[in-house]
Amino acid sequence: MLLTDKFGRAITDLRISITDRCNYKCVYCRTGNEGAVYGELPFADYLRMARVLVSLGITKVRITGGEPLLRRGVIEFVRELSKLQPQGLKPQSSRNTNGTVKTVPFPNLTSAVPSDEPLDIAVTTNGHLLAEMAKPLKDAGLRRVTVSMDAVNPEIFSKITRVPGSFDQVLAGVRAARDAGLGPVKVNCVLMRGFNEDQIVPFGKFAREEGVIVRFIEFMPLEEDRVWTPAVVVTLDEILQRMAEYRPLVEIPHQHSETARRYRFDDGVGEIGIIAPVSHPFCGHCSRIRITSDGKIRTCLFSVWDHDLHELMRSGASDDELVRFIRDVVSKKEARHHIGEPDFVPASRTMVHIGG
Ligand code: SAM
């Protein structure tokens, strides 16, 4: 029996934060201060959690942080993860009255079949250390990489990351990942009014010239400095409008569970995506759970509590006990976030301490 929540959403996507340390201090994420807040576990502990979760139907694992490439041993961790064999999901289907097969949107995952597909392992990184690590990560079994890069103008980039002179290094990381075959490389850009909304069109050109998929992300209230207001969010509609003034876009039909709306330029060169959790929430299709660097399960970015899987492991729990705990936690997954609503309660951790 695979993992579903009480709304029938299949949980197939796991994010593991392996550290909440970061060498950047991006304005939409961190304060200007130093310092990790939460602990880090031995890789063997994350691996056990991943193994149990993969046996429950997780097919994608994204390694994140903090900055995951800061952690020594991450390449070996990828190698060990890549040995896990995902389960195939067997969607429930039934017959329409005319005899054709009808597949329900959220499969009732009562059974698993061995999958031919390897585990889909990805990393989200700020790219600072990627130039030297891309090839070894690929050789260890990494399939994909997402690089956070919030400007193509080096000065604006430094203003956002608060690390002077880092742009060239990140650009080299993006190119190294592409050349290592970790593609299509995705470049994530969080837009914040007053900082980088003038980078929309330059990023369109960048996607076309560099052969990467640029994805704009609406700024969410998950930052340490608590500066979020609706007025700072650059919305999907605005991004589309600005980009269309540069070149017409054609929407690419997207999969039910995909968070990004995808677009190609009219001449077929270059793809962009927009992740719009604020203006166009996609909670109804959410297939994710997260494990924090200190081994807590979070069922939503905006959870106001987390669930201590590591403590249970430390107490000597068997895999079966972990499975029961995980099922119980997942059953409590939140229906949706409440960003911008009067009853919004800030998440109990900010993004850097959750793992985005
Ligand atoms: N250090 C890595 C990186 O820079 O990609 C991984 C961790 S970072 C927290 C993961 C992602 O969260 C990044 O793509 C970042 O842009 C995004 N992020 C952080 N704070 C955010 C916020 N307040 N709203 C939207 N996205 C945010």
Side-chain angles (χ1 to χ4, degrees):
M1 172 115 159
L2 303 179
L3 272 181
T4 50
D5 70 8
K6 64 174 180 283
F7 304 104
R9 292 174 296 192
I11 305 304
T12 54
D13 187 343
L14 170 65
R15 300 194 163 207
I16 305 179
S17 170
I18 57 173
T19 180
D20 68 343
R21 286 176 287 134
C22 192
N23 45 348
Y24 283 12
K25 298 169 188 168
C26 301
V27 288
Y28 54 81
C29 186
R30 304 206 39 217
T31 66
N33 301 325
E34 299 291 338
V37 174
Y38 298 96
E40 293 171 8
L41 304 183
F43 280 114
D45 289 355
Y46 300 126
L47 204 57
R48 181 174 175 206
M49 294 172 183
R51 178 174 54 72
V52 170
L53 278 152
V54 166
S55 78
L56 292 172
I58 292 293
T59 56
K60 290 185 194 169
V61 176
R62 180 171 291 277
I63 303 166
T64 181
E67 173 46 43
L69 300 191
L70 286 179
R71 183 118 187 233
R72 271 166 198 266
V74 61
I75 293 170
E76 200 45 45
F77 180 49
V78 168
R79 199 183 319 281
E80 291 303 315
L81 275 178
S82 72
K83 294 177 187 163
L84 300 178
Q85 183 59 47
Q87 304 293 308
L89 305 183
K90 199 172 160 192
Q92 181 193 50
S93 57
S94 58
R95 299 252 162 213
N96 289 316
T97 42
N98 64 3
T100 56
V101 172
K102 172 170 88 180
T103 302
V104 293
F106 293 115
N108 180 14
L109 301 171
T110 50
S111 58
V113 289
S115 173
D116 301 332
E117 292 288 317
L119 190 63
D120 184 4
I121 308 169
V123 164
T124 302
T125 171
N126 61 28
H128 193 82
L129 299 172
L130 191 57
E132 16 348 337
M133 292 176 75
K135 176 83 171 57
L137 282 165
K138 169 73 180 174
D139 292 345
L142 193 72
R143 306 269 302 271
R144 296 180 296 124
V145 73
T146 300
V147 182
S148 304
M149 189 176 146
D150 304 294
V152 290
N153 172 312
E155 276 167 37
I156 301 176
F157 186 82
S158 293
K159 203 169 136 201
I160 292 173
T161 58
R162 297 188 273 204
V163 175
S166 46
F167 178 79
D168 288 346
Q169 210 159 330
V170 174
L171 183 59
V174 169
R175 290 176 174 163
R178 187 192 57 199
D179 296 347
L182 288 166
V185 174
K186 290 180 184 152
V187 170
N188 276 359
C189 166
V190 177
L191 287 171
M192 249 180 124
R193 199 175 307 287
F195 277 92
N196 59 349
E197 76 267 41
D198 64 350
Q199 295 293 287
I200 294 172
V201 169
F203 262 123
K205 293 179 183 162
F206 184 80
R208 290 163 64 80
E209 286 163 12
E210 296 286 336
V212 298
I213 300 175
V214 172
R215 302 189 320 167
F216 299 101
I217 306 179
E218 288 179 350
F219 175 40
M220 292 180 278
L222 285 166
E223 76 292 11
E224 290 184 314
D225 274 346
R226 300 293 183 208
V227 294
W228 188 92
T229 66
V232 185
V233 180
V234 183
T235 62
L236 176 138
D237 291 347
E238 185 175 339
I239 298 164
L240 284 180
Q241 194 186 328
R242 288 200 185 207
M243 197 63 96
E245 285 163 13
Y246 159 58
R247 259 207 103 95
L249 291 167
V250 180
E251 186 159 7
I252 303 169
H254 73 293
Q255 306 260 325
H256 202 55
S257 61
E258 267 181 304
T259 53
R261 298 188 180 209
R262 299 168 55 197
Y263 305 85
R264 210 174 268 298
F265 289 100
D266 60 335
D267 62 354
V269 180
E271 179 179 332
I272 65 153
I274 305 178
I275 302 176
V278 180
S279 68
H280 295 75
F282 39 81
C283 307
H285 310 309
C286 182
S287 56
R288 294 181 184 167
I289 58 168
R290 292 178 160 80
I291 291 177
T292 61
S293 63
D294 57 339
K296 311 270 179 16
I297 299 179
R298 289 182 71 91
T299 46
C300 174
L301 274 176
F302 291 93
S303 291
V304 291
W305 53 72
D306 36 46
H307 309 269
D308 202 341
L309 184 61
H310 186 240
E311 182 53 35
L312 185 64
M313 275 172 52
R314 271 172 19 115
S315 73
S318 67
D319 283 0
D320 283 347
E321 285 167 315
L322 299 188
V323 164
R324 275 197 292 280
F325 180 80
I326 292 166
R327 283 195 193 293
D328 184 50
V329 165
V330 164
S331 75
K332 295 175 188 147
K333 184 172 161 70
E334 295 80 345
R336 63 184 185 88
H337 70 63
H338 295 263
I339 299 175
E341 297 174 20
D343 63 347
F344 176 75
V345 178
S348 55
R349 291 189 188 200
T350 55
M351 186 69 117
V352 69
H353 304 299
I354 298 171

